[in-house]
Amino acid sequence: MTGRIILLSTPLLYFLTCCFFAPNRLNAQSATLAVHYICTEINAGYDYNFKIRVCVDGILIGESTPKFSSQANTLQLNIPSGQRNVKITGMKYYNGTWEESLKSNNYTVDSQFEQTLHLSGATAISLNFKMKTGTEVVSITSSGHETGSSAKPQIPRLIR
């Protein structure tokens, strides 16, 4: 038994954290969150691998499968229903490293969406990371109804 290491996945850690350290956060019902995104207005030669990280209430709960930024992608997650702070951060693969596309990493602006949403049933967020004119929140729908967005769009970095 010595030398054994148990690796736990991020969603499992989120579940365990909710159960043991924040029982009021884990409701009997779960919600489905789908994040659809694409990058457009990409300069020639800058179509890097791109993915998103999704944090709910400050806890990382999932990452999308990397694709070239010009390819549409979707990440679907099951999370506890209720009032949740949802933070979506764009990540670029640059010089052999995944880095957040944020001003703090020398990008022109932050490539990020953050908003408190009431999640129940199915919720979908559609984002367009426009590399020249800014991030567009295309829509936020909840169980088929558009809820709109008060998030302030940001522009992902153009050139490294």
Side-chain angles (χ1 to χ4, degrees), residues 11 31-37 52 54 61-65 73-79 121-125:
T32 301
L33 175 64
V35 181
H36 311 283
Y37 67 93
I52 58 169
V54 177
I61 62 165
E63 291 185 359
S64 63
T65 303
N73 205 353
T74 297
L75 174 62
Q76 188 165 321
L77 303 163
N78 290 319
I79 59 174
T123 300
I125 301 171

Side-chain angles (χ1 to χ4, degrees), residues 52-72:
I52 58 169
R53 283 189 175 170
V54 177
C55 293
V56 174
D57 296 335
I59 300 169
L60 176 65
I61 62 165
E63 291 185 359
S64 63
T65 303
K67 288 188 176 184
F68 284 109
S69 52
S70 61
Q71 297 175 318

Side-chain angles (χ1 to χ4, degrees), residues 41-52:
E41 301 178 357
I42 302 163
N43 286 339
Y46 291 93
D47 194 6
Y48 294 111
N49 277 323
F50 191 87
K51 67 180 179 180
I52 58 169

Side-chain angles (χ1 to χ4, degrees), residues 41-150:
E41 301 178 357
I42 302 163
N43 286 339
Y46 291 93
D47 194 6
Y48 294 111
N49 277 323
F50 191 87
K51 67 180 179 180
I52 58 169
R53 283 189 175 170
V54 177
C55 293
V56 174
D57 296 335
I59 300 169
L60 176 65
I61 62 165
E63 291 185 359
S64 63
T65 303
K67 288 188 176 184
F68 284 109
S69 52
S70 61
Q71 297 175 318
N73 205 353
T74 297
L75 174 62
Q76 188 165 321
L77 303 163
N78 290 319
I79 59 174
S81 61
Q83 197 78 4
R84 304 281 177 228
N85 177 270
V86 177
K87 185 176 183 180
I88 302 166
T89 304
M91 306 282 296
K92 285 191 179 177
Y93 191 72
Y94 180 74
N95 282 342
T97 305
W98 283 103
E99 60 184 22
E100 294 178 329
S101 183
L102 301 173
K103 289 179 185 177
S104 59
N105 289 332
N106 296 319
Y107 285 84
T108 304
V109 294
D110 294 332
S111 181
Q112 198 167 61
F113 165 90
E114 184 171 7
Q115 187 171 336
T116 299
L117 301 169
H118 181 76
L119 302 174
S120 63
T123 300
I125 301 171
S126 296
L127 301 172
N128 182 357
F129 296 104
K130 294 182 177 182
M131 298 297 176
K132 293 181 182 176
T133 59
T135 299
E136 176 185 8
V137 178
V138 177
S139 66
I140 300 174
T141 58
S142 181
S143 298
H145 303 288
E146 186 147 344
T147 61
S149 172
S150 62

